[in-house]
């Protein structure tokens, strides 16, 4: 580098440090007089004796002459007059091949307290979604290793899908199956707002050593401040974007986007936003749109994304579920009735849809899938009549065929958690079952 270029770079460096002072703390909200900063900037609050300890916080808004901050960690030891130092830049995390196989927090640090490997790049957690005109169309399927999904709800590379479920219906088990069996180059898994107990259970039981060695897991548990839960979702997405820009086909799984929305509601209410739709603030829906649009395809690679959505009382029309369903490219509905019958994965095929399936599958495959749906729907519509003996065999050829195939259909839809089925095997089994080739 030439001396003139070096001098120019030195001249552009801001050598000043900007400080403010804490005026008051209300709940999770910290009000500070100064420093000069922008929304999204990371600040350090100096606390303790001789101000040796620092609490990391972020600027989330302004109120008259005051700067409003929210902390990434607990706010112990903050006192009136505590010094607030701004970094003048938003949160950045480390990403790279060295992170594969690790479990990190929302700030990108390993949860086992080990040191980050060398050679990682710094990336901002908040980035712009790809330009719509630079997104290649989704043109080929990606194997997830779950027979029901690969055959009847085929997912494409770069597709974004919502997994809608109440509590205890098997969404974590389904995510673990996909993570272990998929042909994607890498998994990035965001566990947002999970119970601390469930994190290790998911990693050791559902994901397993085989899944972990090709995954990066980002964890923000339910006991952490709202901002850490939001940043967990942003960090997982940013890491996935980093590998997509390297040309990889990435599988991003986030459990759950509902808890991201709840965390954003906490932040919105704290800074004075009015609650609108069922208590959610307007910023919740803006944040969801930006977050979900960041995944998908770009000119380098793809992020195939699965987002779980918790539906209270299995209500599919509550605000977050309705909003997410409108943004994504498909939805899988986990049915509690199927889980109670012991049918796993408990995906209700008739209520689920993959919006890109017709663009990435052949005619024979589509015809076979449509026929299976028709036979299953026919049986379920007449199930009560069949069970009470009110249906007389021979009355309808379609119903007779549905009754004959129903046991085989249920057997086809079931799959053991450790059973791996390739997409070609899934399609072949579907065509053999329906007689369509």
């Amino acid at each position: 580098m030439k001396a003139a270029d070096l001098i120019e770079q030195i001249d552009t460096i801001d050598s000043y440090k900007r400080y403010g002072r804490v005026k008051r703390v209300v709940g999770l909200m910290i009000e500070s007089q100064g420093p000069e900063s922008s929304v999204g900037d990371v600040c350090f609050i100096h606390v303790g004796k001789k101000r040796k300890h620092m609490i990391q916080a972020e600027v989330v808004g302004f109120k008259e002459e005051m700067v409003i901050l929210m902390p990434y960690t607990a706010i112990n030891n903050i006192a009136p007059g505590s010094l607030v130092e701004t970094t003048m830049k938003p949160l950045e995390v480390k990403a790279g091949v060295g992170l594969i196989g690790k479990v990190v927090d929302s700030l990108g640090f390993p949860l086992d307290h080990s040191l980050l490997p060398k050679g990682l790049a710094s990336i901002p957690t908040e980035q712009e979604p790809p330009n719509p005109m630079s997104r290649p169309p989704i043109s080929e399927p990606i194997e997830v290793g779950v027979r029901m999904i690969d055959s009847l709800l085929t997912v494409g590379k770069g597709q974004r899908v919502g997994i809608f479920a109440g509590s205890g219906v098997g969404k974590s088990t389904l995510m673990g199956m996909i993570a272990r069996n998929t042909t994607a180059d890498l998994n990035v898994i965001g566990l947002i707002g999970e119970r601390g107990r469930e994190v290790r259970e998911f990693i050791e039981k559902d994901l397993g050593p085989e899944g972990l060695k090709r995954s990066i897991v980002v964890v923000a548990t339910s006991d952490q401040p709202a901002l850490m839960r939001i940043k967990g979702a942003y960090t997982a997405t940013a890491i996935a974007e980093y590998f997509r820009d390297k040309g990889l086909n990435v599988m991003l799984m986030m459990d759950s986007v509902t808890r991201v929305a709840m965390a954003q509601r906490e932040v919105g209410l704290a800074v004075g936003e009015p609650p609108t739709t069922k208590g959610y603030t307007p910023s919740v829906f803006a944040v969801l749109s930006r977050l979900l649009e960041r995944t998908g395809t770009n000119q380098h690679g793809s992020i195939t994304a699965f987002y779980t959505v918790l539906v209270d009382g299995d209500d599919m029309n509550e605000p977050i579920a309705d909003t997410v369903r409108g943004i994504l490219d498909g939805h899988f509905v986990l049915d509690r009735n199927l889980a109670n019958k012991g049918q796993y994965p408990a995906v209700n095929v008739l209520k689920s849809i993959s919006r890109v399936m017709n663009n990435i599958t052949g005619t024979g495959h589509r015809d076979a899938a449509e026929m299976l749906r028709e036979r299953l729907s026919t049986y379920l519509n007449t199930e009560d009549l069949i069970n009470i003996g009110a249906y007389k065999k021979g009355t309808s050829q379609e119903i007779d065929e549905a009754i004959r195939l129903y046991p085989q259909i249920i057997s086809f839809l079931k799959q053991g958690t450790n059973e791996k089925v390739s997409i070609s095997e899934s399609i072949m089994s579907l065509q053999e079952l329906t007689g369509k080739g």
Side-chain angles (χ1 to χ4, degrees), residues 81 114 272 276 339 379 409 425:
S114 62
T276 51
Y379 181 89
I409 292 173
E425 291 172 337

Side-chain angles (χ1 to χ4, degrees), residues 363-369 371 427-428 430-437:
T363 305
H365 180 182
R366 289 198 298 273
D367 289 347
M371 177 175 280
I427 296 169
M428 190 181 301
L430 173 65
Q431 292 173 336
E432 287 175 358
L433 175 59
T434 58
K436 292 277 187 180

Side-chain angles (χ1 to χ4, degrees), residues 111-395:
L111 283 183
D112 60 3
H113 302 296
S114 62
L115 295 176
L116 283 170
K118 295 181 179 179
L120 301 180
S122 292
I123 54 170
T125 58
E126 296 190 48
Q127 301 184 42
E128 290 294 321
N131 186 315
M133 297 304 294
S134 70
R135 288 185 185 266
I138 298 170
S139 57
E140 58 179 310
I142 187 168
E143 181 179 308
V144 299
V146 179
R147 182 169 50 238
M148 172 197 295
I149 296 174
D150 282 337
S151 58
L152 301 173
L153 301 163
T154 312
V155 176
K157 287 182 181 177
Q159 185 175 352
R160 301 159 305 151
V161 180
I163 299 175
F164 293 75
S167 56
V169 190
K171 61 183 182 304
S172 295
T173 304
L174 178 60
M175 285 176 57
M177 289 175 68
I178 294 171
R180 292 193 306 272
N181 300 339
T182 181
T183 55
D185 300 319
L186 173 72
N187 300 314
V188 179
I189 303 170
L191 302 178
I192 313 301
E194 287 288 325
R195 304 176 189 89
R197 172 187 62 81
E198 290 180 333
V199 171
R200 189 164 179 178
E201 282 185 10
F202 174 81
I203 292 169
E204 294 183 356
K205 291 173 60 180
D206 296 323
L207 188 59
E210 181 186 347
L212 182 59
K213 70 183 181 184
R214 54 197 296 263
S215 303
I216 299 169
V217 184
V218 181
V219 174
T221 51
S222 58
D223 60 289
Q224 293 181 316
L227 210 55
M228 280 290 270
R229 283 174 268 147
I230 297 170
K231 291 301 173 186
Y234 286 172
T235 296
T237 305
I239 291 172
E241 287 171 324
Y242 171 84
F243 287 101
R244 176 181 62 184
D245 291 343
K246 297 295 182 184
L248 273 62
N249 294 310
V250 184
M251 180 72 74
L252 171 66
M253 286 178 276
M254 191 175 294
D255 183 15
S256 73
V257 74
T258 307
R259 294 194 180 108
V260 178
M262 289 177 174
Q264 180 60 39
R265 177 173 62 182
E266 287 182 42
V267 173
L269 292 173
V271 298
E273 275 192 272
T276 51
T277 311
K278 287 196 176 180
Y280 288 99
T281 57
S283 65
V284 171
F285 304 100
V287 163
L288 284 180
S289 297
R290 283 183 61 84
L291 179 66
L292 302 181
E293 283 292 342
R294 285 170 60 180
T295 53
T297 58
N298 71 359
Q299 62 269 40
H300 305 294
S302 68
I303 300 174
T304 307
F306 287 91
Y307 298 97
T308 68
V309 182
L310 297 171
V311 285
D312 293 333
D314 297 326
D315 176 15
M316 289 294 296
N317 295 315
E318 60 96 23
I320 300 304
D322 203 39
T323 300
V324 171
R325 190 167 58 245
I327 297 170
L328 299 179
D329 310 316
H331 53 271
F332 300 164
V333 178
L334 299 190
D335 194 322
R336 192 175 301 279
N337 292 328
L338 296 179
N340 292 340
K341 293 177 182 177
Q343 181 180 321
Y344 290 100
V347 178
N348 188 321
V349 174
L350 300 179
K351 292 183 179 179
S352 305
I353 190 170
S354 170
R355 292 181 182 171
V356 305
M357 180 176 174
N358 289 344
N359 302 330
I360 57 176
T361 54
T363 305
H365 180 182
R366 289 198 298 273
D367 289 347
E370 189 63 32
M371 177 175 280
L372 188 143
R373 283 173 175 268
E374 287 176 3
R375 295 292 181 262
L376 182 60
S377 177
T378 300
Y379 181 89
L380 294 177
N381 287 337
T382 55
E383 186 176 23
D384 290 341
L385 292 175
I386 295 167
N387 289 340
I388 65 173
Y391 174 74
K392 185 178 179 181
K393 187 177 180 182
T395 305

